[in-house]
Amino acid sequence: MNLIWGLDGEVAAVICQAAGVKGREFGPSRALACIDNGHLIGGAIVHDWNPEAQTAEVSAGFLRRRAPHRAIARVLAEYVFGQMDCQAVILRTDSRNSAVRRFAASMGGKEHILPRVLGRTASEAFLIITDDAWASSKWSGRYENTLSTDAA
Protein backbone atom coordinates (compact mmCIF):
# COMPACT_ATOMS: atom_id res chain seq x y z
CA MET A 1 0.00 0.00 0.00
CA ASN A 2 1.13 3.53 -0.75
CA LEU A 3 0.18 6.81 0.82
CA ILE A 4 0.07 9.93 -1.32
CA TRP A 5 -1.01 13.50 -0.67
CA GLY A 6 -3.69 14.60 -3.10
CA LEU A 7 -6.86 13.21 -4.68
CA ASP A 8 -8.83 15.45 -2.32
CA GLY A 9 -12.25 14.99 -3.95
CA GLU A 10 -11.86 11.24 -4.35
CA VAL A 11 -10.69 10.76 -0.75
CA ALA A 12 -13.60 12.88 0.51
CA ALA A 13 -16.03 10.68 -1.42
CA VAL A 14 -14.52 7.49 0.06
CA ILE A 15 -14.66 8.92 3.60
CA CYS A 16 -18.33 9.82 3.12
CA GLN A 17 -19.09 6.40 1.62
CA ALA A 18 -17.34 4.58 4.47
CA ALA A 19 -19.21 6.67 7.06
CA GLY A 20 -22.57 6.42 5.30
CA VAL A 21 -22.73 10.22 4.97
CA LYS A 22 -23.91 12.04 1.86
CA GLY A 23 -22.71 15.38 0.60
CA ARG A 24 -20.16 16.27 3.32
CA GLU A 25 -17.99 19.21 2.24
CA PHE A 26 -14.63 19.66 3.94
CA GLY A 27 -13.80 23.14 2.61
CA PRO A 28 -10.12 24.05 2.37
CA SER A 29 -8.35 20.81 3.15
CA ARG A 30 -5.55 18.41 2.29
CA ALA A 31 -6.09 14.69 1.68
CA LEU A 32 -3.86 11.70 2.32
CA ALA A 33 -4.89 8.85 0.01
CA CYS A 34 -4.28 5.17 0.70
CA ILE A 35 -3.73 3.28 -2.56
CA ASP A 36 -3.63 -0.53 -2.77
CA ASN A 37 -2.85 -2.21 -6.10
CA GLY A 38 -3.81 0.96 -7.95
CA HIS A 39 -7.14 1.35 -6.15
CA LEU A 40 -8.11 4.04 -3.68
CA ILE A 41 -9.20 2.18 -0.53
CA GLY A 42 -9.45 5.11 1.87
CA GLY A 43 -7.64 7.99 3.39
CA ALA A 44 -7.76 10.97 5.68
CA ILE A 45 -8.50 14.65 5.26
CA VAL A 46 -7.01 17.45 7.34
CA HIS A 47 -9.57 20.27 7.48
CA ASP A 48 -10.93 23.13 9.59
CA TRP A 49 -7.47 24.44 10.44
CA ASN A 50 -7.45 27.16 13.08
CA PRO A 51 -3.97 28.72 13.03
CA GLU A 52 -4.70 30.99 16.03
CA ALA A 53 -5.65 28.04 18.25
CA GLN A 54 -3.13 25.77 16.47
CA THR A 55 -5.75 23.07 15.88
CA ALA A 56 -7.07 21.10 12.92
CA GLU A 57 -9.66 18.38 12.40
CA VAL A 58 -8.92 15.05 10.77
CA SER A 59 -11.57 12.87 9.12
CA ALA A 60 -10.78 9.40 7.83
CA GLY A 61 -12.53 6.46 6.23
CA PHE A 62 -11.64 3.18 4.57
CA LEU A 63 -13.49 0.79 2.30
CA ARG A 64 -11.51 -2.17 3.64
CA ARG A 65 -11.08 -3.30 7.21
CA ARG A 66 -7.30 -3.59 6.97
CA ALA A 67 -5.47 -0.31 6.53
CA PRO A 68 -1.95 0.88 7.38
CA HIS A 69 -3.08 2.70 10.55
CA ARG A 70 0.40 3.19 12.01
CA ALA A 71 1.79 4.62 8.76
CA ILE A 72 -1.21 6.90 8.28
CA ALA A 73 -1.05 8.12 11.88
CA ARG A 74 2.64 8.93 11.58
CA VAL A 75 2.32 10.77 8.26
CA LEU A 76 -0.65 12.77 9.54
CA ALA A 77 1.14 13.57 12.81
CA GLU A 78 4.23 14.77 10.94
CA TYR A 79 2.02 17.02 8.82
CA VAL A 80 -0.27 18.49 11.50
CA PHE A 81 2.21 18.68 14.38
CA GLY A 82 5.40 19.22 12.38
CA GLN A 83 4.46 21.23 9.30
CA MET A 84 1.22 22.95 10.37
CA ASP A 85 2.52 23.54 13.91
CA CYS A 86 -0.73 22.36 15.49
CA GLN A 87 -0.80 21.75 19.22
CA ALA A 88 -3.92 19.56 18.98
CA VAL A 89 -5.85 17.49 16.45
CA ILE A 90 -9.58 16.86 16.72
CA LEU A 91 -11.26 13.69 15.46
CA ARG A 92 -15.02 13.32 15.53
CA THR A 93 -16.97 10.10 15.23
CA ASP A 94 -20.27 8.51 16.15
CA SER A 95 -19.99 7.49 19.81
CA ARG A 96 -20.84 3.90 18.77
CA ASN A 97 -17.64 3.71 16.66
CA SER A 98 -15.53 1.87 19.22
CA ALA A 99 -12.69 1.14 16.77
CA VAL A 100 -11.93 4.82 16.12
CA ARG A 101 -12.33 5.63 19.80
CA ARG A 102 -9.83 2.90 20.80
CA PHE A 103 -7.43 4.04 18.05
CA ALA A 104 -7.48 7.65 19.28
CA ALA A 105 -7.08 6.55 22.91
CA SER A 106 -4.01 4.51 21.97
CA MET A 107 -2.47 7.72 20.60
CA GLY A 108 -3.13 9.56 23.86
CA GLY A 109 -6.45 11.03 22.77
CA LYS A 110 -8.87 12.43 25.33
CA GLU A 111 -12.54 11.82 24.67
CA HIS A 112 -15.60 13.99 25.15
CA ILE A 113 -19.09 12.65 24.34
CA LEU A 114 -21.69 15.18 23.23
CA PRO A 115 -25.26 13.87 23.29
CA ARG A 116 -27.63 14.34 20.35
CA VAL A 117 -25.05 16.05 18.12
CA LEU A 118 -25.71 13.48 15.37
CA GLY A 119 -29.47 13.45 15.90
CA ARG A 120 -32.04 12.77 18.57
CA THR A 121 -30.65 9.31 19.38
CA ALA A 122 -26.99 9.62 18.33
CA SER A 123 -24.11 11.10 20.29
CA GLU A 124 -20.80 12.21 18.85
CA ALA A 125 -17.39 11.51 20.34
CA PHE A 126 -14.86 14.35 20.10
CA LEU A 127 -11.35 12.96 20.43
CA ILE A 128 -8.53 15.42 21.10
CA ILE A 129 -4.91 14.36 20.53
CA THR A 130 -2.31 16.88 21.64
CA ASP A 131 1.23 17.05 20.32
CA ASP A 132 2.53 16.07 23.77
CA ALA A 133 0.19 13.05 23.99
CA TRP A 134 1.21 11.99 20.48
CA ALA A 135 4.93 12.30 21.27
CA SER A 136 4.59 10.05 24.31
CA SER A 137 2.33 7.46 22.65
CA LYS A 138 3.38 4.08 21.31
CA TRP A 139 2.44 5.25 17.80
CA SER A 140 5.04 7.98 17.47
CA GLY A 141 8.55 7.15 16.40
CA ARG A 142 10.54 6.85 13.26
CA TYR A 143 8.39 6.48 10.16
CA GLU A 144 9.67 4.26 7.34
CA ASN A 145 8.98 6.37 4.29
CA THR A 146 6.43 4.87 1.90
CA LEU A 147 5.01 8.30 1.21
CA SER A 148 4.83 9.21 -2.48
CA THR A 149 4.83 12.73 -3.86
CA ASP A 150 1.60 14.64 -4.44
CA ALA A 151 -0.72 13.18 -7.04
CA ALA A 152 -0.86 15.10 -10.27
Side-chain angles (χ1 to χ4, degrees):
M1 284 189 227
N2 291 314
L3 303 175
I4 61 167
W5 288 107
L7 304 174
D8 296 14
E10 294 89 340
V11 172
V14 168
I15 290 171
C16 290
Q17 180 182 352
V21 175
K22 293 183 181 178
R24 168 72 162 99
E25 296 291 328
F26 291 98
S29 58
R30 188 160 189 216
L32 179 64
C34 184
I35 309 291
D36 187 27
N37 292 322
H39 300 286
L40 177 65
I41 63 162
I45 294 182
V46 179
H47 57 97
D48 292 325
W49 180 40
N50 181 337
E52 292 81 22
Q54 293 180 289
T55 61
E57 287 194 43
V58 173
S59 298
F62 295 88
L63 299 178
R64 295 187 190 161
R65 188 126 173 102
R66 295 182 55 100
H69 295 103
R70 184 178 302 263
I72 291 166
R74 287 182 177 166
V75 171
L76 285 170
E78 166 57 31
Y79 180 63
V80 295
F81 296 132
Q83 295 179 36
M84 293 177 70
D85 196 32
C86 287
Q87 56 86 21
V89 172
I90 302 141
L91 298 108
R92 296 171 18 181
T93 190
D94 187 306
S95 63
R96 296 168 290 199
N97 190 339
S98 59
V100 169
R101 292 171 64 195
R102 280 192 312 272
F103 183 61
S106 73
M107 293 184 286
K110 300 295 180 202
E111 179 177 271
H112 304 278
I113 305 293
L114 300 176
R116 296 175 72 154
V117 171
L118 297 177
R120 183 168 295 280
T121 61
S123 299
E124 188 167 35
F126 281 69
L127 307 145
I128 315 298
I129 303 170
T130 65
D131 53 356
D132 296 327
W134 166 258
S136 62
S137 78
K138 68 180 182 181
W139 292 88
S140 67
R142 186 155 184 82
Y143 171 67
E144 293 101 30
N145 191 4
T146 60
L147 184 64
S148 302
T149 58
D150 284 340

